Amino acid sequence: MDKVKCILIDDEPIAIRILERHLSVFPEMEVVATFNSAPLAMNYMRQNEVNLIFSDIEMPQMNGLQFIRSLQHPPAIVFTTAYRDYAVEAFDLDVVDYLVKPVSLERMGRALTRYHERYSGVDNTHTPDSVTESFINLKADKKIIRIATDKINYIESYGDYVICYHEDGKVMSRERISNLEQLLSKEQFIRIHRQYIIPVNKIEAISGNMVTITGKNLPVGRSFRQNLKQQIDR
């Protein structure tokens, strides 16, 4: 039997120990790493495969909800938290389960049953981020919309919202453009303005301080001009 590779994320050491003890009862589960913050887990996932994440929600630096939203192809998720208030938001992320601390062995068993029922025969492995992601996930209309990056024409920012214009239409999502800038490949996409990210291979023309993408002229911000020039000159 292939082991289910799990990571545990919680800033409370005792919570980690309880989860490890519970999971040790189930022979198919393998805890491959534990972390006290989401950024450390993100670094690990760039180089290692993971099938299932157990994550606290309220943590310093980045909370569990923000962490999961930052993953383009997240593996299965089980939230473990002392607070019930996040349940609706958590299940909007299509998590396997939502466990309220203290987590009992019986409740852990039910969560793992849900995991096996959902993923039996399905490869839900999160592959290392060193492999270029081919999709981005945007939350819109109470669902997650996956957009192939090679179909993106450009992304426009309006404060805490973005509109992603793509070959099949557009999607408006509550997301900051700076977060998408971090997720998208630096080789394929470039920020040309505080409001715009564009795919390099769809640039049709550059004239003065304007770039033409699929027939639309977009402004190039002064602080972004040098970076654009270097990208084009490669």
Side-chain angles (χ1 to χ4, degrees):
M1 177 190 299
D2 291 335
K3 295 281 190 178
V4 178
K5 297 179 180 180
C6 309
I7 62 171
L8 316 180
I9 312 168
D10 202 306
D11 59 330
E12 299 177 358
I14 189 170
I16 292 284
R17 289 198 294 272
I18 290 171
L19 292 178
E20 285 183 307
R21 185 169 68 242
H22 288 345
L23 289 168
S24 69
V25 175
F26 301 90
E28 77 278 17
M29 312 306 291
E30 180 183 10
V31 177
V32 294
T34 64
F35 306 95
N36 61 14
S37 73
L40 291 175
M42 291 175 71
N43 289 335
Y44 176 87
M45 293 175 69
R46 291 190 181 100
Q47 302 294 331
N48 299 275
E49 294 183 352
V50 175
N51 302 112
L52 178 58
I53 298 174
F54 290 85
S55 177
D56 190 12
I57 292 182
E58 290 206 349
M59 297 182 289
Q61 297 179 282
M62 176 185 287
N63 70 38
L65 296 169
Q66 293 168 330
F67 167 60
I68 300 307
R69 290 193 194 101
S70 74
L71 302 176
Q72 294 190 37
H73 297 299
I77 311 296
V78 173
F79 278 125
T80 59
T81 176
Y83 304 93
R84 299 179 183 275
D85 303 354
Y86 299 106
V88 173
E89 195 172 357
F91 281 109
D92 277 347
L93 296 175
D94 198 30
V95 300
V96 172
D97 212 337
Y98 185 94
L99 306 184
V100 178
K101 300 175 183 177
V103 179
S104 68
L105 179 60
E106 178 186 3
R107 189 65 184 85
M108 173 65 78
R110 295 211 307 271
L112 296 182
T113 296
R114 289 185 180 183
Y115 168 81
H116 288 302
E117 288 175 348
R118 179 181 295 193
Y119 291 106
S120 178
V122 176
D123 182 5
N124 70 303
T125 303
H126 171 95
T127 54
D129 290 343
S130 56
V131 178
T132 301
E133 300 287 5
S134 56
F135 292 86
I136 60 169
N137 295 330
L138 293 177
K139 186 176 181 182
D141 300 324
K142 297 183 179 179
K143 58 187 176 183
I144 303 296
I145 299 175
R146 300 183 76 201
I147 302 172
T149 56
D150 61 1
K151 289 192 172 186
I152 294 174
N153 292 332
Y154 65 94
I155 297 170
E156 185 173 10
S157 169
Y158 291 92
D160 289 336
Y161 289 83
V162 296
I163 299 179
C164 179
Y165 294 87
H166 56 92
E167 293 176 6
D168 301 317
K170 64 182 180 180
V171 174
M172 186 173 188
S173 176
R174 185 167 185 174
E175 182 66 84
R176 297 192 70 85
I177 195 170
S178 56
N179 292 339
L180 294 182
E181 184 181 12
Q182 294 299 314
L183 293 175
L184 291 166
S185 165
K186 299 294 189 296
E187 299 297 319
Q188 298 174 13
F189 289 84
I190 186 170
R191 183 91 171 261
I192 61 166
H193 189 277
R194 61 185 180 83
Q195 281 188 272
Y196 295 101
I197 294 175
I198 64 171
V200 177
N201 67 348
K202 290 190 179 181
I203 295 176
E204 297 170 353
I206 300 175
S207 177
N209 298 326
M210 304 296 289
V211 169
T212 304
I213 297 281
T214 60
K216 183 173 180 64
N217 293 324
L218 303 177
V220 179
R222 180 177 300 176
S223 61
F224 299 91
R225 292 174 194 166
Q226 184 61 31
N227 190 32
L228 175 62
K229 183 179 184 301
Q230 291 174 349
Q231 188 87 330
I232 296 301
D233 289 343
R234 286 182 180 179

